[in-house]
Amino acid sequence: MKNNKIIKLSFAFLGLLFLMACSGEVETNSPPSISGVQDQTVEVGAEVDYLNGVTASDLEDGDLTASIEVDSSLVDLDSEGVYKVTYSVS
């Protein structure tokens, strides 16, 4: 009879641990949003500030503007054309 009580208490304790683990808050991570990116027309040979007016944020971390990365490796400012610039933030 004593062994039955120990087993029942063990199951009760394990059940309580399981409920405590399941009742914790679920962590979310919303994707960041980048705003202010616009098409730009510039003179051949001119300098471009790709981050002018561009901001980034998410719900958990708030302002992520300082973490924005710009890939302008396909842009040739010495040649006329249409080029793709990629913005990312993590």
Side-chain angles (χ1 to χ4, degrees), residues 42-77:
V42 297
E43 296 288 325
V44 172
E47 299 264 334
V48 178
D49 180 2
Y50 296 105
L51 293 173
N52 185 28
V54 178
T55 62
S57 64
D58 72 8
L59 294 176
E60 290 79 25
D61 301 311
D63 186 11
L64 297 169
T65 302
S67 299
I68 297 174
E69 295 181 10
V70 178
D71 179 1
S72 61
S73 60
L74 300 176
V75 176
D76 180 359
L77 292 173

Side-chain angles (χ1 to χ4, degrees), residues 1-87:
M1 189 65 148
K2 194 175 189 181
N3 286 340
N4 271 348
K5 289 182 183 178
I6 292 173
I7 292 172
K8 287 179 185 176
L9 288 175
S10 296
F11 282 128
F13 180 70
L14 289 174
L16 181 60
L17 284 177
F18 177 75
L19 288 174
M20 288 172 53
C22 291
S23 67
E25 291 184 28
V26 177
E27 188 175 317
T28 60
N29 190 11
S30 63
S33 172
I34 299 176
S35 303
V37 176
Q38 299 180 24
D39 289 343
Q40 296 185 35
T41 302
V42 297
E43 296 288 325
V44 172
E47 299 264 334
V48 178
D49 180 2
Y50 296 105
L51 293 173
N52 185 28
V54 178
T55 62
S57 64
D58 72 8
L59 294 176
E60 290 79 25
D61 301 311
D63 186 11
L64 297 169
T65 302
S67 299
I68 297 174
E69 295 181 10
V70 178
D71 179 1
S72 61
S73 60
L74 300 176
V75 176
D76 180 359
L77 292 173
D78 294 321
S79 299
E80 188 175 316
V82 177
Y83 301 100
K84 178 179 178 181
V85 176
T86 304
Y87 293 79

